Amino acid sequence: MTEYLIRRILQSILVIFLISLVTFGLIHAAPGGPTQMMISPGMSPEAAEIQKHNLGLDKPVPEQYWNWIKGLLSGDLGKTFKNNTPVGDILWPTIKNTFVLMSFAWVISMLIAIPWGIYNSTKPYGLSDQTSNFISYVGFAMPAFWFGIILQQVFAIQLNWLPLSDMYAMDKQGNFSDLLYHLVLPCTVLILANLAAYSKYSRSSMLEVLEQDYIRTARAKGVPERKVIFRHALRNALIPIITVLGMELPTLVVGAALTESVFNWPGMGRLYVDMARAREYSVLMAIVLVTAVMVVLGNLIADILYKIVDPRVQLGRKGGKSA
Amino acid sequence: MASKKKWLSLFVSLSVVSALFVGCGDSKTAETPKDEPKKEEAAGTDKPAENPGEPKQGGTLTVGTFSDVVNLNPIYVQDTASADADYFIYAHLFDFDKEGNVVAEPWSLAAEPMKISEDGLTYEIKLKDNLKWSDGQPITADDVKFTIETILNPESGAPGIAQYDKISKIEVVDPQNLKITLKQVYAPFQYSLHMQVAPQHVLKDVKVTEMQKNPYGTDPAKTVTSGPWKWTEWKQKEYLKFDANPDYWGPKPNIQTVVYKIYADQNTEVQALIKGDVDVVGGIPVTQLDAVKKVDKITVASEPGPQYEYVGLNRKPENFKDNFVPWDGQKTRQAMAYALNRQGMVDNVLKGIGKLMNAPFMPNSWADPGDAAVNYDYNPEKAKQLLAEDGWKPGSDGILVKDGHRFSFELQYNSGNSRREQVSLVMQQNFKEVGIEMIPKAIDFAAWNEQNLVPGKFNAILLGWSLDSPDPNGESTFSSKFFAPKGQNNVFYKNEKLDQLWEEGTKVVDQEKRKEIYKEVAKEISTDLPYIFMYSYGTPQAHSKKIKFKPEDAPITNLARGEFFHVNNWWIDDAK
């Protein structure tokens, strides 16, 4: 296990390094750099040069990359071009906000979807299963922003029951009940999307297991259905579900940009869109990096959970697969 | 002002537009005479109450925006969001009136109108004697001098340098009096004095190269200001808060708190407006206009703003196949103008909002040339006739041919801008009817700007200019002294008569005389057509009806930040 972990971590570092290299290169190859946004037409060429120099943008790209990496190693994510704010100062609060939103949605979706999927697997094509199917189709088919706008129209504008957007009311920053109040609509949007995926996965995974020989044997031996489901089938059915949830982990931090935009949630998805528009490379790079770390970490956690759920799973094999 | 037309503000409006599916404008083109306040607005637009009542103290004004501020230090402000925010917390040296004249208001730092010497070279400025920064220190002529000198120092990297580069010296006579001498007569200079001032006592010891990195301008606690409100809070990407400054030297504002609320995009912002979370929105996308108008508690101002759209016709042979510029002949350019159904575009694409423009001057400002500029009505027959006179003959495929060259060109515009997409399709059709082949090509703005606009590499472009300053000087866009990439004349237009007129326009200080010169410019430019001028457009402003103001303090559309015009005199109806 330790050896495997070390191998996986080294592997992950390499992956992250490669991602950073490729993204840095691509971003700098794109036309319309940050200086373009900085320099106004009336500015003298002299002042423009000084501006570029101050920002370190007059250096060759490999050198800029090297400086960036050096900064990273000392914990410095760089500064924004436009007002010289440390990137960390902008990034961390948004990660925190996205995490709040996504983890609420994630936990609630899981609590609803997994038991529901399992229940449906025991009564396939029953009313509950059909309902779940219908919701899944809606969840897959309806774009999050569209559903979000509908909810806003109905519950915030027409009925005036819930806030339209934001994380807190202006004068209630940090107030937990106000946060919950603001969470209702965006969480509903995210839950609908998650429900679709999670309940489908847990249902099909459970169905698959229920068709296995050992379940048939257990049933033939007269083991009560409850026991068949919870004692024998569930544990095996959970493995693929855990994979899916593990893959979903990064989105907890990375977030859903569209949902955040519609609900004006000050999260990282929204930040990414803003910064891409403003061509703030240092922030974009930091977001890409954080995302890469989260994806790698999500995979790792999924693998470890495998092991916990089913000790028979060989980690080495899985590790090769998920990297 | 050389930088009166800013790519940046243009880009901001473009990015809004491209972020959404936006056109612009509002219900009807108001034909309101310029000296009348909004009360005669087009039908369908709510008007401010005839009798708004008496001012009340207190309340919160929430302004919606879709991008965060960058830096509120007046020396470094260049983006729209920061400039909007600065409007609340800094006084101007001089302000604008409704027609864009530079005036000293009770809330201006200047005590009286500027005195311009006979020879037009010296500007004397007198400050009020009770001016105070928000930390209690006096605002003096030294602050003005310091601000201008810092901007002029290339080491500071200040964006506004070109506004002041005609200055030869600045003398502080005494704390309230200041004398600025120019190197040459330059009439637009007075518009550069519509400026905000940074505090010398806070910034004097900061190294000029470090000034931009200084927390002044980004840290509310360290940003000492001069306006009716002071900056108390900034939650990045969420909101800024300005509270009435209890020690403000000028007429006390009625509104206690101004919240500058940042939304992810225009859609979200408009939803918040409809719900009543936001009181002022400077730009409503045309797609959402109907929804906003249905809301009783909102007033929508429908005149187009200070932007205009044009078709830029490149004149540099290198940009064309075989170095053949199809519109070298004046008649051909005029024919192209006749071929376009501009009013149809305004009616259908801009939903009736927008006004045909024939010369590059801010509508309803003192320099608006009115009928002096040639108007090209939609007239395909006349277009065909002029094309024939200029030597074009129909080819085998119906496209005109001259000296073996087909009349075919590419029109570039920025992708994601639905207005331009639609307009370009109408143009394509219109041109085809007279035998001209136009190939529309949409390009991402950033790439387009860098690779085509700045160096001037294209056949023709569909683009807009934002007239940030009411001053009519357009020399840097149209004079042959400013060919791209050094200047903004990226269509390589050369007309000696105009070159000279633009120059004259800056050398006469008397406004009446200038007006005559710009009328002459309008006549010449609309005849010779470096651009086909299309229409003025803009994004309609929306105001909650709980905001009250006297008619003379009503928001206006033709000035930049006109949606906050005289905000210090407004009040909130339900203020508690």
Side-chain angles (χ1 to χ4, degrees), chain B residues 145-163:
Chain B
K145 181 171 192 259
F146 170 79
T147 304
I148 297 177
E149 283 180 345
T150 308
I151 293 173
L152 274 173
N153 184 342
E155 303 245 300
S156 70
I161 188 165
Q163 291 186 39

Side-chain angles (χ1 to χ4, degrees), chain B residues 282-358:
Chain B
I284 309 280
V286 90
T287 44
Q288 306 213 6
L289 196 60
D290 286 339
V292 174
K293 282 188 163 174
K294 276 185 205 140
V295 184
D296 288 341
K297 56 192 178 199
I298 300 171
T299 310
V300 180
S302 48
E303 286 156 85
Q307 293 104 299
Y308 74 92
E309 202 136 85
Y310 64 89
V311 178
L313 303 172
N314 206 317
R315 304 286 287 280
K316 196 179 187 182
E318 285 90 322
N319 287 307
F320 296 86
K321 206 177 141 197
D322 305 329
N323 290 347
F324 176 79
V325 183
W327 40 70
D328 238 359
Q330 193 187 70
K331 280 187 178 169
T332 299
R333 295 192 297 278
Q334 291 173 343
M336 290 173 79
Y338 277 120
L340 292 182
N341 185 357
R342 296 183 298 156
Q343 190 59 50
M345 297 175 201
V346 169
D347 292 342
N348 298 312
V349 180
L350 277 73
K351 310 276 179 220
I353 312 116
K355 204 170 164 182
L356 296 191
M357 251 177 96
N358 301 310

